[in-house]
Amino acid sequence: MDQEFWHSRWAENRIGFHLTETNPSLLKHWQALHPQRHEAVFVPMCGKSVDLSWLASKHDEVVGVELSEIAVRAFFSEHLYTPLVTAISPMMKLYQFDEVSIYSGDYFSAPLAQYPLIYDRAALIAMPGNLRQRYVARLLSLLQPGGRILLVTLDYPQDQMDGPPFSVTGDEVHSLFEGCKITCLDRDENSDRPPKGKAASHFVEEVWLIESE
């Protein structure tokens, strides 16, 4: 689980995690954050998600970060956008078009601001256990006081299936986000089954509202 893993997944188009439609959990639960149009939204490890466009229709600023430049270029190309591209460093570029800005580079070193709203559908569950605490520490450092996170996780027997996506239990969510107000908005036991070729005795999608206190 290093950067080369994700570069190769995009290079080989092995992106079963990519959804071609707006995530139903985002549509159903975004209003639980009481979002305002002027509030900027941060989307970590955004890939080429169409969720970015949906969020951009609701907010004046949507900021993503994505390791794979293939994914970033694909997002703008598939939406027929011609972005402004700014080289920040040899390993970091910023792509911008209207409301959407995406940093192409490492999440842990991207020159990000603080944001009132964060949407995490597939970032935390892409992290192996030894990186989750570091990931969340960085995420919370990017959340403004009083900010809110919509977090989507998966719960399944980790010993029955290899990640990613990895299982992140409710207990782990509470541990990782200790000090925040944590509300489980949904627990879908009839969610899509595991990725093709994989199996688990149960596969549950959970949706969380994380609020900075």
Side-chain angles (χ1 to χ4, degrees):
M1 287 300 301
D2 55 14
Q3 293 188 359
E4 189 56 39
F5 172 87
W6 293 108
H7 282 305
S8 65
R9 289 287 290 263
W10 281 101
E12 297 166 12
N13 200 37
R14 292 187 295 124
I15 52 172
F17 49 83
H18 173 70
L19 300 180
T20 57
E21 298 181 354
T22 305
N23 190 299
S25 294
L26 175 62
L27 298 175
K28 182 177 180 180
H29 296 292
W30 187 243
Q31 284 303 313
L33 281 66
H34 302 290
Q36 304 298 312
R37 175 169 284 278
H38 70 272
E39 292 182 304
V41 184
F42 173 56
V43 185
M45 289 121 183
C46 60
K48 61 173 184 176
S49 175
V50 296
D51 295 348
L52 295 167
S53 292
W54 186 88
L55 288 166
S57 73
K58 308 292 183 182
H59 294 270
D60 294 334
E61 183 180 8
V62 178
V63 180
V65 63
E66 168 56 43
L67 181 65
S68 170
E69 193 170 11
I70 292 174
V72 178
R73 288 175 175 172
F75 170 79
F76 290 101
S77 174
E78 290 172 12
H79 289 84
L80 304 179
Y81 300 153
T82 302
L84 172 67
V85 183
T86 304
I88 297 173
S89 73
M91 301 298 292
M92 183 78 59
K93 293 178 182 177
L94 175 60
Y95 286 70
Q96 296 172 289
F97 184 88
D98 287 351
E99 297 89 355
V100 179
S101 301
I102 304 178
Y103 288 93
S104 172
D106 182 13
Y107 160 81
F108 292 104
S109 60
L112 299 161
Q114 284 193 315
Y115 306 92
L117 301 172
I118 294 177
Y119 170 55
D120 178 336
R121 178 191 76 83
L124 179 61
I125 59 175
M127 293 283 161
N130 63 332
L131 281 180
R132 286 177 205 152
Q133 190 168 11
R134 182 184 173 208
Y135 166 79
V136 170
R138 167 75 161 154
L139 194 71
L140 291 176
S141 76
L142 300 173
L143 185 65
Q144 288 182 2
R148 293 88 73 201
I149 302 172
L150 186 67
L151 170 69
V152 182
T153 60
L154 298 174
D155 183 359
Y156 66 86
Q158 190 67 81
D159 60 350
Q160 295 181 10
M161 192 177 96
D162 294 330
F166 295 101
S167 174
V168 179
T169 66
D171 286 344
E172 186 171 3
V173 170
H174 280 84
S175 176
L176 288 169
F177 291 94
E178 185 178 5
C180 297
K181 180 181 178 182
I182 302 169
T183 306
C184 184
L185 300 176
D186 203 357
R187 179 176 169 84
D188 183 5
E189 299 187 6
N190 298 309
S191 64
D192 291 341
R193 299 310 299 166
K196 185 177 180 180
K198 299 185 178 183
S201 58
H202 68 268
F203 194 78
V204 179
E205 182 177 86
E206 295 183 315
V207 183
W208 305 87
L209 170 61
I210 313 291
E211 299 174 86
S212 172
E213 294 186 333

